[in-house]
């Protein structure tokens, strides 16, 4: 029989009947049944967009796709992490009941990428003025200045900036208006960073001159470990003293700059008086997420702040 023998061809009614039976058999309480029905409704609407009209066609892959879509709502600030997790868990419960226990649960965290906790930035990144002040203090140390410039102008992680093949990057930037980042990336995943500003070309040129012909910021006779414990550490300490921020916060500086370029409005962390539409906000977050080397939009709240 259709819908696992619920006695109706309508999938939504079938879920209601199956939950009712679970109440009768003491598997669920009345309140739990009502909560599950409420959390089923958004998933039911998702299934309709996929042309799914019977429970037998509901798969783990569909639930994972749905769950990953919830991360976009989290990024927009329209859905909490807890609510997203509860929605996925509710479908697991419903499908377990419908299949008489023959359902392999979907993990909201591992399968859907819904984070247990999401750090939402509440303080703005360092200003250009403070970054310039730091560069002025460090002007006798060109490699340290180059590290700050590459992180702030391209949103590089400190390791990415340190290992960047600068001459190759400058040539690519001039000829193709982009840079391919391969070394030092998280998970070893290659990504493309656009080159849109003259200041980015200037940063690469400065870095090339600062290295005296070395392939990257790290001197030829120095390991990355020694560079990180030495010049990178002292750069981070100076930046912290002047701006109150870390090298990683320079990625937020880049993200906010790109957000303003894409949307024409300050990033949410600056609490602009005019807010962009949710669709434009999401589009900007998708672009920035890719440029920063992430694969989920939800992480952008740690750079841009949340959209209310």
């Amino acid at each position: 029989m259709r819908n696992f023998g619920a006695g109706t061809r309508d999938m939504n009614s079938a879920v209601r009947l199956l939950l009712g039976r679970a109440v009768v058999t003491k598997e669920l309480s009345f309140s739990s049944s009502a909560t599950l029905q409420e959390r089923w409704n958004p998933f039911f609407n998702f299934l309709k967009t996929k042309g799914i009209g019977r429970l037998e066609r509901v798969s783990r892959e569909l639930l994972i796709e749905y769950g990953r879509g919830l991360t976009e709502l989290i990024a927009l600030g329209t859905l909490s992490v807890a609510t997203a997790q509860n929605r996925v868990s509710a479908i697991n419960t419903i499908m377990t009941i419908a299949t008489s226990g023959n359902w392999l649960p979907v993990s909201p965290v591992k399968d859907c990428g819904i984070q247990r906790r999401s750090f939402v930035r509440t303080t703005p990144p360092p200003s250009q003025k403070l970054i310039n002040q730091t560069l002025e203090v460090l002007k006798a140390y060109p490699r340290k200045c180059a590290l700050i410039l590459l992180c702030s102008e391209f949103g590089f992680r400190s390791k990415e900036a340190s290992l960047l093949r600068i001459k190759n990057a400058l040539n690519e930037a001039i000829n193709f208006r982009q840079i391919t980042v391969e070394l030092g990336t998280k998970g070893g995943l290659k990504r493309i960073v656009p080159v849109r500003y003259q200041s980015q070309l200037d940063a690469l040129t400065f870095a090339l001159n600062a290295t005296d012909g070395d392939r990257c910021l790290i001197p030829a006779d120095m390991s990355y470990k020694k560079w990180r414990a030495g010049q990178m550490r002292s750069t981070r300490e100076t930046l912290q003293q002047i701006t109150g921020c870390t090298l990683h916060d320079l990625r937020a500086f880049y993200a906010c700059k790109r957000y303003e370029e894409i949307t024409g409005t300050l990033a949410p962390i600056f609490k602009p008086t005019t807010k962009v539409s949710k669709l434009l906000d999401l589009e900007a977050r998708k672009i920035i997420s890719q440029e920063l080397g992430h694969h989920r939009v939800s992480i952008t709240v740690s750079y841009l702040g949340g959209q209310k």
Side-chain angles (χ1 to χ4, degrees):
M1 296 176 63
R2 184 167 175 156
N3 291 320
F4 297 108
T8 175
R9 296 179 61 83
D10 178 71
M11 183 169 59
N12 210 26
S13 298
V15 167
R16 186 165 56 251
L17 288 170
L18 289 169
L19 291 176
R21 291 177 186 175
V23 170
V24 172
T25 58
K26 307 298 183 181
E27 294 177 70
L28 294 174
S29 65
F30 281 106
S31 60
S32 294
S33 174
T35 299
L36 289 171
Q37 180 68 54
E38 180 182 352
R39 293 172 179 171
W40 158 265
N41 291 333
F43 183 60
F44 174 67
N45 292 331
F46 166 80
L47 292 176
K48 286 196 295 185
T49 68
K50 297 293 182 180
I52 305 298
R54 53 190 301 174
L55 288 173
E56 286 85 355
R57 293 184 59 193
V58 176
S59 64
R60 292 186 79 254
E61 290 72 24
L62 278 169
L63 180 52
I64 290 172
E65 181 182 350
Y66 169 73
R68 289 176 177 171
L70 296 180
T71 65
E72 311 298 325
L73 299 180
I74 294 172
L76 289 172
T78 59
L79 193 72
S80 70
V81 171
T83 299
Q85 291 177 339
N86 287 338
R87 287 186 181 180
V88 173
S89 297
I91 306 309
N92 279 326
T93 300
I94 291 170
M95 291 307 299
T96 297
I97 292 172
T99 61
S100 300
N102 295 316
W103 172 261
L104 182 60
V106 168
S107 167
V109 176
K110 293 182 180 179
D111 295 322
C112 303
I114 300 172
Q115 299 302 296
R116 291 186 176 87
R117 299 174 65 183
S118 182
F119 169 69
V120 179
R121 178 174 286 273
T122 57
T123 57
S127 65
Q128 184 67 67
K129 181 180 180 180
L130 288 176
I131 292 174
N132 290 343
Q133 289 179 9
T134 307
L135 293 172
E136 179 64 24
V137 170
L138 293 173
K139 63 182 180 181
Y141 306 93
R143 290 179 189 264
K144 295 181 180 181
C145 290
L147 177 61
I148 290 175
L149 286 170
L150 292 178
C151 289
S152 60
E153 289 293 337
F154 296 96
F156 291 154
R157 297 179 178 90
S158 56
K159 187 174 184 179
E160 294 170 345
S162 299
L163 297 176
L164 184 71
R165 297 300 188 249
I166 300 170
K167 187 175 182 179
N168 292 342
L170 180 57
N171 288 334
E172 186 180 5
I174 292 172
N175 294 318
F176 303 104
R177 308 300 295 181
Q178 66 178 38
I179 292 178
T180 303
V181 186
E182 299 183 81
L183 300 177
T185 60
K186 194 171 184 178
L189 299 175
K190 180 172 67 176
R191 74 176 190 280
I192 303 297
V193 178
V195 176
R196 290 183 166 84
Y197 318 114
Q198 180 60 44
S199 60
Q200 291 175 306
L201 294 175
D202 293 341
L204 288 169
T205 301
F206 181 92
L208 184 63
N209 293 331
T211 57
D212 299 322
D214 289 339
R215 291 181 301 169
C216 63
L217 290 183
I218 305 173
D221 60 348
M222 184 182 294
S223 66
Y224 172 72
K225 184 177 181 180
K226 289 184 177 180
W227 161 264
R228 183 180 61 188
Q231 293 196 48
M232 183 192 293
R233 180 177 180 178
S234 62
T235 303
R236 182 168 56 246
E237 290 173 347
T238 302
L239 183 68
Q240 180 79 37
Q241 291 171 359
I242 297 174
T243 70
C245 298
T246 66
L247 284 170
H248 193 75
D249 287 317
L250 297 179
R251 280 163 65 78
F253 171 83
Y254 171 86
C256 290
K257 184 176 181 179
R258 286 289 289 128
Y259 187 93
E260 184 175 359
E261 181 185 63
I262 296 168
T263 67
T265 302
L266 291 173
I269 189 63
F270 294 107
K271 299 180 181 178
T273 55
T274 302
K275 295 182 179 180
V276 301
S277 69
K278 291 182 178 180
L279 285 177
L280 181 56
D281 176 81
L282 179 57
E283 181 61 26
R285 289 174 187 272
K286 286 180 178 178
I287 293 171
I288 293 167
S289 175
Q290 292 172 356
E291 292 178 4
L292 291 179
H294 291 290
H295 299 281
R296 60 187 192 279
V297 173
S298 58
I299 197 67
T300 60
V301 298
S302 65
Y303 299 105
L304 303 168
Q307 173 67 295
K308 303 299 183 182

